[in-house]
Structures are given as C-alpha cells and as structure tokens.
C-alpha cells in the first residue's frame, strides 16, 4: 500500500458530500463536452492506468473521475489532504472512492463510498392519468427515491421509457429498466431535463 494513505480512510462520503464534490470540482467522467471530450477520455484513461498499478480496482466498472480545482473550497474530511490537481475516482456501483495525486504518483486516500439512492422523476406523457401505484412500485423497492412528477409537453408517447438524465447513474437506469420491463432512451429534444438521476416518461402502453 502507498504511504500516502491517511488514517481516516474508513470515513464514508455522505450523499451531500458527493454532490458538493461534483459541483466544486472539475469535469466528471462521462460528462458530454464536445470540445474536450477526447481530452477528458484520454486523461481518464491515463489516470486509470496509473492507479491500477498502485491498487486493485473494481472490475467491469468505469468510475466517475473529477479533479480538485480549488482545495480551499473542498471541506469534506475525505479530501483533507487533497491538493489542486488531485484526481478523485468514484466507483458508484462498487461503493469505493480513491484520491490519486498524479504529481507524485501516489494514492492520497481511499475508502468506502456511501452512494445515495438514485432520484427518479416521473413525467406523464400519456393522454390518461398515471396509475396511482406506479410511483409506489418504484419507491417500494427501497432502492429508489421518487422526487416529483409533472406533465410532459406532449401526451402521445406510445410506450413508457426511461432516461438516464444525470449521465452518471447508468447502473440506476439499467436496474429500473429491468424492474419495470421498459427500455432506456436518450432524452427527447422536446423534454426538459429534471433535477434527478433518472427520468421515467409514462406512455400510453
């Protein structure tokens, strides 16, 4: 193990800390930025290659990777010893977080990641009313939180669909897709992006 590990490595990120981290730091892996997407992908590949030589990483999962831009604005205990330029790897499915310092090629900190339940927004895209038990079916699993619902600008969706609106929770979208037996699509141009991880547009099926 690297000597860069700190003694509080077993502390967990709270849900609010994760959100604050992503807001206060740089580009998140998978974020669609047409001008720099190739550069971001290359940088993340280099980071993963370097970190994999220092510690065993979760298999079959690509992490969200973001950079510490201003260490003075990051108050999470997990990032106490972070410096500007450090890379933070968040494995949402495996529940692991790693702070890596490219300048010294060392692991600064790593520990368990407490992942918040995915937030689901329900949108009515049908001519009738959404079945009352639809929301309960989702929240009743104990794995999702239904935040709110509204009416779509169009009510002619032939079938119910799911959209990964956050771009960072494909695991949640896939799990909900399996639960409801409906397909995942890209966000339609006619729809606004809600403040949630997953959008369910209820159709006329």
């Amino acid at each position: 193990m690297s000597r860069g590990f700190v003694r509080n490595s077993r502390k967990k990120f709270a849900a609010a800390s994760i959100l604050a981290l992503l807001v206060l730091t740089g580009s998140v892996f998978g974020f669609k930025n047409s001008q720099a997407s190739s550069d971001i992908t290359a940088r993340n590949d280099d980071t993963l290659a370097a970190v994999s030589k220092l510690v065993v990483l979760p298999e079959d999962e690509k992490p969200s990777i973001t950079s510490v831009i201003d260490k003075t604005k990051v108050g999470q205990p997990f990032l106490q010893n972070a410096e500007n330029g450090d890379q933070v790897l968040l494995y949402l499915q495996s529940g692991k977080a790693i702070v890596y310092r490219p300048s010294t090629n060392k692991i600064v900190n790593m520990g368990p990641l407490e992942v918040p339940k995915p937030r689901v927004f329900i949108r009515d895209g049908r001519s009738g009313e959404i079945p009352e038990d639809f929301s309960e079916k989702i929240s009743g699993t104990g794995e999702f939180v239904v935040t709110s619902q509204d009416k779509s600008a169009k009510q002619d969706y032939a079938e119910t669909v799911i959209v990964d609106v956050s771009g960072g929770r494909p695991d949640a979208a896939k799990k909900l897709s399996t639960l409801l037996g409906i397909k995942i699509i890209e966000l339609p141009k006619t729809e606004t992006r809600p403040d949630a991880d997953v959008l369910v547009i209820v159709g006329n099926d």
Side-chain angles (χ1 to χ4, degrees), residues 45 104 112 156-157:
D45 288 344
T104 60
D156 58 353
Y157 280 91

Side-chain angles (χ1 to χ4, degrees), residues 28-31 60-64 90-93 115 118-119 144 162-178 183-186 196-199:
V28 178
F29 183 88
F31 184 80
D60 302 323
E61 179 185 0
K62 282 193 173 183
S64 292
L90 302 177
Y91 286 90
L92 297 179
Q93 296 179 49
V115 182
R119 300 166 299 149
F144 302 90
I162 290 176
V163 182
D164 173 21
V165 288
S166 72
R169 299 301 299 269
D171 58 317
K174 290 178 182 177
K175 185 177 294 185
L176 190 57
S177 172
T178 300
K183 67 180 181 181
I184 301 173
I185 66 169
E186 294 291 328
D197 298 303
V198 180
L199 168 65

